[in-house]
Amino acid sequence: MRTVLVTGTGGAGRTTVAAATALAAAREGQRTLLLTADSDGTPEALLGIGAPRTVPGRSADRLPWSVPVEPAPGLWAARVVTDEWFRGELTALQDRGHGLLDLLGATPLDGEELTALPGVEAIALLRALRAAQTAPPGTGWDVLVVDMPPAPDTVALLALPEQLRRYLRRLLPAERQAARALRPMLAQLAGVPMPAQKLYETAERWERELAAVQGVIESEATTVRLVVEPGPLADRALRTARAGLALHGCRVEAVIANRLLPTGTSDPWLAALSGQQQDALKELYEQWAPAVPVRELPHLGRDPHGLGDPRPADPHPGDGARRAPAGLAGLAGAVGAPGARPDRPAPDPWTVEDRLAEDGVLLWRLPLPGADRDGLSLVRRGDELIVTVAPFHRVLPLPSALRRCTVSGAGLRDGWLQVRFTPDPDLWPKRV
């Protein structure tokens, strides 16, 4: 299944672009699901549909989204229902750990008194991302379009599965298998029951789920669309978002320049704003194109409601075309469908180049477009390299050859971080 994650700078119109992208995919005959975590009713207003309804059934068995609604042929829309999903998951967790809870004298919480905690929205969205991939063949969707949070939150969310898996490996290492075998003996020696087997099974289930979500994020069929309203303040935010996405191996499929004002107007106030946008738009093209296409969407002059006029919108209405351009249906034609598969295969993000013969080093190349030296730092910790780009961090396990080396330098050039490793004579294999 093709997955498109739509994010961008705050207030740039991510939800509108996500809905237009989903509609464009459905128009090309692809069964498309639009997922959003937005709870303010904006997606429903855009598509002209009613309030979402919760999927009936036992809470623990529910999918993490509302009943999908079909506002147009081939297009379904649903909202991530964080509260209902959280109640079901926590109730199921209490059921699995009832033995330990009884040991501690704890009173289980009723589902009706549970409310979602801050940060649970991210977990629910990731769970929905995974659930959409597991539909039986013939009953699922060809394209999944996800209306994501603003770019900084999206980068942190996409990094979460890898981070949580690392925490689980540290807290529950492989040696836990031996501890599980010794648990009956330890229970006799301690005189108290040991934690229930189901708790260990829960941790293993989390590991499998997190690995599956990480697989979706890193898949070649998953790409990102970045939405920005061109302007001087948005440029910096977009650069930071680009670096953060690159750090976590997420590929940007397209940059959507949204809410472009008419050009060629005689109104001096509007001409000044339009000129500022056009300057920023030129910068976007210089930074992204042709490697990443930049697509232009006009300012509608109003918020779109419903699918609207099916005619394509004019991306550059002149002064004589001041009427509001086409609605969401017209934007769908301008933004374009993502296609069945990405146009280009995902590149290998971490490349080790052998320069031992020429320079005596191994060079680890990491693509970090948008990063700058001021916000970049590296820390070697054992067999890991901790990379910090602006507010984003990633812990990268070193390839086996680099673990027998010491870091001898690093540089950022043309959007590539190049880390030099010199073989450690005490660890490097010696020629005989």
Side-chain angles (χ1 to χ4, degrees), residues 21-98:
T21 299
L23 181 58
R27 282 175 158 184
E28 294 194 351
Q30 303 179 81
R31 290 170 54 87
T32 305
L33 174 64
L34 170 65
L35 271 184
T36 178
D38 199 331
S39 59
D40 64 0
T42 299
E44 290 79 15
L46 285 170
L47 298 170
I49 58 179
R53 295 184 296 110
T54 303
V55 178
R58 294 196 313 115
S59 59
D61 298 330
R62 290 176 185 164
L63 291 171
W65 57 68
S66 60
V67 176
V69 179
E70 189 177 8
L75 171 62
W76 285 264
R79 181 193 294 175
V80 177
V81 284
T82 302
D83 285 344
E84 290 85 347
W85 175 82
F86 177 75
R87 282 195 290 268
E89 286 292 303
L90 194 54
T91 300
L93 180 61
Q94 287 185 147
D95 293 342
R96 296 187 189 98
H98 68 86

Side-chain angles (χ1 to χ4, degrees), residues 232-294:
L233 297 180
D235 178 68
R236 177 70 180 180
L238 202 63
R239 286 174 179 266
T240 303
R242 184 182 190 183
L245 290 168
L247 177 64
H248 293 285
C250 301
R251 185 174 46 159
V252 177
E253 172 206 358
V255 175
I256 311 299
N258 196 21
R259 295 176 182 153
L260 293 177
L261 297 169
T263 58
T265 176
S266 58
D267 185 328
W269 181 82
L270 186 59
L273 291 178
S274 176
Q276 180 176 272
Q277 276 194 341
Q278 291 300 312
D279 290 341
L281 185 62
K282 181 181 178 181
E283 291 288 333
L284 282 181
Y285 276 101
E286 291 176 352
Q287 294 170 19
W288 294 88
V292 177
V294 177

Side-chain angles (χ1 to χ4, degrees), residues 413-424:
R413 180 179 299 175
D414 298 328
W416 285 86
L417 173 63
Q418 303 182 77
V419 188
R420 297 185 296 277
F421 288 82
T422 302
D424 187 335

Side-chain angles (χ1 to χ4, degrees), residues 105-152:
T107 302
L109 297 168
D110 294 328
E112 292 74 14
E113 64 180 308
L114 296 174
T115 56
L117 301 174
V120 174
E121 294 86 353
I123 303 295
L125 187 55
L126 289 174
R127 180 67 185 90
L129 190 64
R130 166 61 177 159
Q133 312 282 332
T134 57
T139 63
W141 294 276
D142 303 314
V143 177
L144 171 66
V145 180
V146 187
D147 176 21
M148 302 291 287

Side-chain angles (χ1 to χ4, degrees), residues 39 198 296 398:
S39 59
K198 290 185 177 180
E296 303 177 26
L398 293 175

